[in-house]
Amino acid sequence: MSGSEPPSREPRVIVEAVVARIRGWTKPNGLLTPEGIQESYRRALTHCQEYPFIWVSAVSVFGTIFLTRSLSIRRARIAEARVRELIERGKPQSQTMRASGVRCGAVLSLSL
């Protein structure tokens, strides 16, 4: 195929081209080797030492987000436990009312 011909539009050829491009982006050794992990740690450490204000702001922002999210989840769990407790306490009353023929939770309709 010469440089003047348009590239093929077959799906298989397009997929192969994308895969070849992605393989070109990845390193052959990858980052999961011990040397790659050490290199990533070294780069992060030097960046943290060169730009501490960025890291402090990121930690404070994401720490605040994590803290508020965890507190809201905790509050929701406490409220859920309270609702379950109220339901359990109301079951005997509901059963006695049903046994006596009173409709529990019936919606009253107002006729005008």
Side-chain angles (χ1 to χ4, degrees), residues 44 46-62:
T46 56
H47 190 273
C48 181
Q49 290 170 349
E50 290 175 5
Y51 307 103
F53 51 90
I54 293 175
W55 287 82
V56 167
S57 65
V59 167
S60 63
V61 166
F62 290 114

Side-chain angles (χ1 to χ4, degrees), residues 24 28 32 34 45 50-51 53 64 67 101-102 109:
L32 294 180
L45 184 65
E50 290 175 5
Y51 307 103
F53 51 90
T64 304
L67 181 66
V102 177
S109 61

Side-chain angles (χ1 to χ4, degrees), residues 12-67:
R12 182 182 54 80
V13 175
I14 293 172
V15 169
E16 288 174 359
V18 169
V19 168
R21 183 176 289 173
I22 290 172
R23 283 189 183 140
W25 290 340
T26 59
K27 297 178 181 175
N29 293 337
L31 289 176
L32 294 180
T33 61
E35 296 82 19
I37 293 172
Q38 289 174 351
E39 176 65 22
S40 295
Y41 176 76
R42 187 192 58 76
R43 281 188 285 152
L45 184 65
T46 56
H47 190 273
C48 181
Q49 290 170 349
E50 290 175 5
Y51 307 103
F53 51 90
I54 293 175
W55 287 82
V56 167
S57 65
V59 167
S60 63
V61 166
F62 290 114
T64 304
I65 291 170
F66 175 76
L67 181 66

